[in-house]
Amino acid sequence: MKYSAPKGFQDILPPEISFWQRIEDSARAVFAKYGFHEIRLPIIESTDVFVRSIGEITDIVEKEMYTFRDKGDRSVTLRPEGTAGAVRCFVEHGLHNLPSPQKFYYAGPMFRYERPQKGRFRQFYQIGVEAFGVAQPTLDAEIIAMLNDFLNAIGLTNLNFELNSIGCDACRPVYKEALQLFLKDKITEFCPDCNRRYSTNILRILDCKVEKCVELRGGAPAVSGHLCEHCRIHFDELTALLEALDVPFSLNANLVRGLDYYTKTTFEVTSEHLGAQKAVAAGGRYDKLVKVFGGPDTPAIGFAVGVERLAALLQEASPAEQVAPKVFIATLGKQADTEGLRIAKALRNNGLCTEPGYGASLKSQLRRADRIGAEYALIIGENELSSGTAQWKNLKQGTQGEVALKEVQSFFTKS
Ligand code: HAM
């Protein structure tokens, strides 16, 4: 019987894993400089956590959740995203009682039962950040600037930052009415999903990808024209701050996002090199969500990056390379094996990546040294042991020589 990973799930192997590590290491380094602390959240939450936050009439909740009953007959769901769990955690631990802002990041797998395709998986990894307790646009600007810094740190610079405001409880209903009026006479020509959204979640019609719907909604009123004064000032200040911080962005009036918890600022980072699944990061404000979970009124904002899509962009820029050892130690005979391991241990303690030959024939050991790209081979046999020396070969330059066993450490740390 042959097994394979479930559809939409994948193994990440070396050398591609090096991109993942670069992405994770850079995220940690950049986010720490901005005062963000890591949190680890459960992969499973009570189903209600997602239904109440993401929204009942969204693709994620309606079609994509891995929901099941556990042995205690509770309905639980594999997290489709990280914000809902982060807010549940924030309220559960009373973190609103601590000084504001509270700034967190998390990294890990998310699960959505979507139709798998290039860049879209059923298990995918996000690195997300969530900041609580500041309503001012300074925090929005800082978070977006931090995302830009992080993307630059991993070597991605040619990305599009798209920005919008979807208003608040005061102005969004007015906008929805204007949109309803505009769509009223032609809604039957839209796709069945949009027809349903017309009465359940009308904003989602704006990001339907069906060609006919895109065409039909041309000329629809933009939410930016309907913002209340408060939201308008917030958005204007944000765009001025982003300009001051040299973060390039463009405005996209159709950026409404597929999750219901957003208020005011929404943003998305896309790449032209990824085909249909081009969003590498997305986020926005969710000023109402802490209250939904029973906490006090607490403004918040965050984003998440998709690790697979970032890794694909890095891979496209330059293929992954395996980290090669500095020294390969080829040994012949039991005593030489022991001496080889002893030297390898000492070299590693000195910070050098060292690979032993594991006692195969000398020829096959040296073949492996070449294959894994080792810089040096150190050869130790019975004769070398009795004379207290070893042979070295520089496999890159083709040079060779002899080194006293007790000098091996300084020889390789200096060369
Ligand atoms: P999202 O837009 O649903 O937002 O996901 C964020 C990113 O995760 C996407 O831009 C994409 O790169 C990646 N992603 C989503 N679905 C998949 C998939 N099926 N396969 C591969 N990558 C995927 C959120 O999840 C929000 N929680 C972001 C946020 C945090 N908003 C505020 N705080």
Side-chain angles (χ1 to χ4, degrees):
M1 167 105 175
K2 263 197 166 175
Y3 292 104
S4 50
K7 194 171 168 210
F9 288 66
Q10 54 170 358
D11 304 307
I12 313 298
L13 305 174
E16 278 71 30
I17 195 75
S18 62
F19 293 129
W20 289 59
Q21 290 162 339
R22 193 197 315 171
I23 292 165
E24 287 160 6
D25 292 349
S26 298
R28 287 201 156 79
V30 173
F31 298 168
K33 279 192 267 180
Y34 279 81
F36 281 73
H37 301 283
E38 184 172 3
I39 47 172
R40 305 238 168 156
L41 300 163
I43 283 175
I44 285 180
E45 299 274 356
S46 150
T47 301
D48 209 30
V49 165
F50 301 115
V51 176
R52 293 195 63 197
S53 54
I54 297 169
E56 231 159 319
I57 318 289
T58 56
D59 284 355
I60 296 181
V61 169
E62 280 185 319
K63 307 181 201 158
E64 298 169 1
M65 296 213 300
Y66 279 87
T67 297
F68 59 96
R69 295 215 157 256
D70 70 5
K71 289 194 181 357
D73 204 29
R74 301 169 202 91
S75 177
V76 292
T77 297
L78 288 181
R79 61 182 185 190
E81 57 102 53
T83 309
V87 175
R88 191 269 310 140
C89 161
F90 181 81
V91 174
E92 181 175 340
H93 297 280
L95 301 181
H96 42 82
N97 297 317
L98 301 173
S100 288
Q102 290 289 314
K103 306 197 264 189
F104 304 107
Y105 73 90
Y106 49 84
M110 308 290 159
F111 304 85
R112 294 185 194 174
Y113 195 85
E114 293 189 82
R115 195 171 47 77
Q117 64 179 84
K118 184 168 173 267
R120 188 161 74 186
F121 305 95
R122 290 183 172 166
Q123 176 180 318
F124 59 97
Y125 283 72
Q126 283 187 347
I127 305 177
V129 311
E130 314 291 352
F132 297 90
V134 174
Q136 280 76 10
T138 37
L139 182 63
D140 308 36
E142 211 191 12
I143 286 234
I144 296 172
M146 178 171 87
L147 174 56
N148 189 40
D149 273 3
F150 158 71
L151 293 167
N152 288 342
I154 58 172
L156 297 177
T157 45
N158 283 333
L159 299 170
N160 315 314
F161 275 69
E162 294 178 11
L163 194 64
N164 194 20
S165 171
I166 56 165
C168 64
D169 281 354
C171 50
R172 207 178 313 153
V174 182
Y175 172 62
K176 280 184 176 172
E177 260 177 47
L179 193 58
Q180 232 156 5
L181 200 64
F182 174 84
L183 297 171
K184 197 166 159 241
D185 294 336
K186 45 185 159 185
I187 191 62
T188 48
E189 298 169 55
F190 280 71
C191 73
D193 272 346
C194 281
N195 260 281
R196 209 162 37 88
R197 288 168 186 148
Y198 183 76
S199 47
T200 55
N201 200 345
I202 193 164
L203 289 191
R204 302 279 300 130
I205 293 180
L206 293 178
D207 79 346
C208 178
K209 306 286 183 289
V210 176
E211 218 170 288
K212 184 94 205 283
C213 301
V214 175
E215 204 179 293
L216 283 166
R217 69 171 186 244
V223 65
S224 49
H226 289 77
L227 295 180
C228 61
E229 202 191 345
H230 181 73
C231 289
R232 161 62 43 214
I233 291 172
H234 186 97
F235 196 59
D236 288 347
E237 285 183 12
L238 170 59
T239 53
L241 285 164
L242 290 176
E243 277 161 16
L245 292 171
D246 287 330
V247 178
F249 64 89
S250 56
L251 302 181
N252 176 357
N254 287 339
L255 187 59
V256 290
R257 310 279 294 118
L259 306 104
D260 275 358
Y261 48 63
Y262 290 112
T263 50
K264 294 197 182 111
T265 311
T266 55
F267 55 94
E268 205 160 87
V269 184
T270 58
S271 164
E272 295 314 319
H273 296 267
L274 285 174
Q277 303 304 318
K278 60 187 183 147
V280 294
R285 261 199 180 272
Y286 49 94
D287 289 345
K288 299 274 165 195
L289 198 52
V290 173
K291 205 157 182 204
V292 169
F293 279 87
D297 242 333
T298 310
I301 179 167
F303 67 75
V305 302
V307 179
E308 286 79 1
R309 294 182 193 176
L310 292 178
L313 288 178
L314 294 179
Q315 167 91 50
E316 194 187 75
S318 61
E321 278 177 27
Q322 190 94 41
V323 178
K326 170 99 178 175
V327 187
F328 184 96
I329 304 184
T331 51
L332 281 175
K334 289 263 179 261
Q335 248 186 307
D337 289 350
T338 309
E339 183 60 13
L341 283 186
R342 211 186 50 74
I343 292 175
K345 181 179 170 199
L347 287 172
R348 289 168 180 151
N349 286 343
N350 267 323
L352 299 185
C353 174
T354 307
E355 181 69 14
Y358 299 119
S361 75
L362 184 60
K363 198 167 156 206
S364 67
Q365 289 185 63
L366 290 177
R367 208 181 306 127
R368 190 161 78 87
D370 256 337
R371 205 177 53 233
I372 62 178
E375 190 179 344
Y376 284 92
L378 184 73
I379 302 156
I380 311 173
E382 306 286 312
N383 293 346
E384 282 80 5
L385 277 183
S386 51
S387 66
T389 57
Q391 310 290 319
W392 61 262
K393 273 183 192 220
N394 186 316
L395 301 172
K396 305 278 171 218
Q397 294 169 359
T399 50
Q400 55 186 24
E402 218 173 65
V403 57
L405 284 176
K406 57 178 192 298
E407 309 273 305
V408 162
Q409 293 305 315
S410 59
F411 179 80
F412 286 119
T413 37
K414 277 190 211 131
S415 56

